[in-house]
Amino acid sequence: TDAATTSLVIHTTLDQKLQRAAETAVADLLAQHGERRDADQAALVAMTPDGQIRAMVGGRSYADSQFNRATQARRQPGSAFKLFVFLAALEAGVMPEDLISAEAVEVDGWSPRNFDNDYPRQITVIDAFADSVNTASVRLSEYVGRDQVIGMAERLGITSDLRDDPSLALGSSEVSLLELTTAYAEIANGGRLVWPVGVQQVVGGDDEVLYRRRAVDGRVLEPAVVRAMTVMLEAALVRGTGQQAALRRFAAGKT
C-alpha cells in the first residue's frame, strides 16, 4: 500500500463539548480581564484523575500563535506550588490541626510577605494552607527541607528544574501547566501515578493497531496523606482564598 495514501484513525481523549467550552472560557477571560492584567494569552488544561486530557487550550488563537502555553510555556506557579510543601510536611508527620508560627521569618537574607500583612504567632497548618499564608509555608518548607519539597514535586511529575532557594515554597521556580495539573490529578485519584495522555490509540489500514497507550500504575502517596491533603484543598475553597471557585458539590483546589 502506498504510505502516502494510507488512512489513519487517531483516537484521542479530547471531549469536543468540553474543548469548545474551554476555548470559550479562555476567550471570555481574556476579554474581561486581559487588558487590566496586561495579559494577551492564557492556557487551560482539563484532565481526568487518571490523566486523560479532556480539553486543552494553548493560547488565544492557534492561527496567530502555534506555541502551546499549556505544555511548552514555563511560568511561576505561585501559591499552587504550596501543594508540594504541605504534602512533604504531611509525609514528615505534620498534621492539619498542628500549630505553626506565621510570624515574620528571614532565610538567607530573604523575607516573605503575607498578602494581608498579618503575621500571627500561631496558626493551624490547615488554615495556613487554606489562607495561603506565605510565612507559614516558608517555615514548613525549611522545617521539612527544600530537598524533600523538590523530591515531592518530582515524584508527582514535575520535570522542570526547581531552584533550591527559600522562595521555592512560594512557587518561584517555573513549571508547565500540564505538569502542575498532573500533580493535582494524583491527589484526585487517591495518590496513584498519573501519566498525561491525549492519544489513546492509532489505527491504520485493515484495522491494524499501530499505537496503543499502555496503562500506568503505581502509588506515589500513601492514602492517609492524600486524605489529609484533600481536606486541606477543600478548606481552601470552602473558607480560604479559593471561595470564588467553590461549587455546589464537593470540590477541592488551590489558588
Side-chain angles (χ1 to χ4, degrees):
T1 303
D2 185 351
T5 60
T6 299
S7 63
L8 295 176
V9 178
I10 301 174
H11 298 264
T12 76
T13 61
L14 295 173
D15 181 303
Q16 290 185 342
K17 183 179 179 180
L18 289 179
Q19 180 64 30
R20 287 193 295 269
E23 293 169 1
T24 299
V26 167
D28 290 348
L29 180 75
L30 289 170
Q32 294 175 30
H33 304 289
E35 184 175 356
R36 179 168 59 88
R37 297 291 184 89
D38 192 27
D40 60 3
Q41 293 288 354
L44 183 151
V45 173
M47 180 187 294
T48 63
D50 63 354
Q52 297 184 57
I53 299 170
R54 295 302 190 209
M56 177 184 290
V57 180
R60 180 194 295 270
S61 169
Y62 184 79
D64 294 338
S65 171
Q66 289 77 54
F67 183 70
N68 189 337
R69 291 159 186 82
T71 61
Q72 296 173 277
R74 297 293 187 273
R75 296 288 184 270
Q76 291 181 335
S79 290
F81 191 85
K82 290 173 183 173
L83 173 77
F84 307 112
V85 175
F86 284 77
L87 279 173
L90 290 171
E91 269 203 352
V94 174
M95 301 298 290
E97 62 272 17
D98 287 348
L99 294 174
I100 184 174
S101 171
E103 293 179 305
V105 61
E106 181 176 313
V107 184
D108 298 339
W110 172 79
S111 298
R113 294 182 57 188
N114 291 336
F115 296 117
D116 56 4
N117 285 318
D118 186 26
Y119 301 87
R121 186 175 64 86
Q122 285 189 322
I123 188 174
T124 63
V125 171
I126 189 172
D127 284 342
F129 184 82
D131 295 330
S132 208
V133 181
N134 287 337
T135 50
S137 302
V138 171
R139 286 180 180 277
L140 269 183
S141 177
E142 295 300 307
Y143 169 71
V144 300
R146 286 175 233 156
D147 59 333
Q148 296 301 309
V149 175
I150 291 173
M152 175 63 71
E154 292 176 343
R155 191 198 313 170
L156 268 62
I158 300 297
T159 58
S160 298
D161 290 335
L162 300 175
R163 294 184 296 276
D164 184 357
D165 59 48
S167 63
L168 169 77
L170 307 186
S172 61
S173 292
E174 297 84 0
V175 301
S176 76
L177 178 59
L178 185 62
E179 288 176 297
L180 196 61
T181 306
T182 300
Y184 275 81
E186 287 167 326
I187 305 300
N189 77 357
R192 304 201 71 82
L193 178 67
V194 169
W195 193 261
V197 56
V199 176
Q200 290 282 31
Q201 68 176 14
V202 179
V203 180
D206 300 324
D207 292 330
E208 179 187 5
V209 177
L210 304 177
Y211 167 82
R212 178 179 288 121
R213 173 71 176 192
R214 290 191 296 179
V216 297
D217 194 18
R219 178 165 294 282
V220 292
L221 293 168
E222 291 302 315
V225 171
V226 175
R227 287 194 295 270
M229 190 73 250
T230 302
V231 169
M232 293 166 65
L233 287 163
E234 182 184 18
L237 267 60
V238 171
R239 55 184 172 81
T241 56
Q243 293 181 48
Q244 293 186 49
L247 306 175
R248 295 180 181 177
R249 51 173 291 182
F250 170 77
K254 184 76 182 77
T255 52

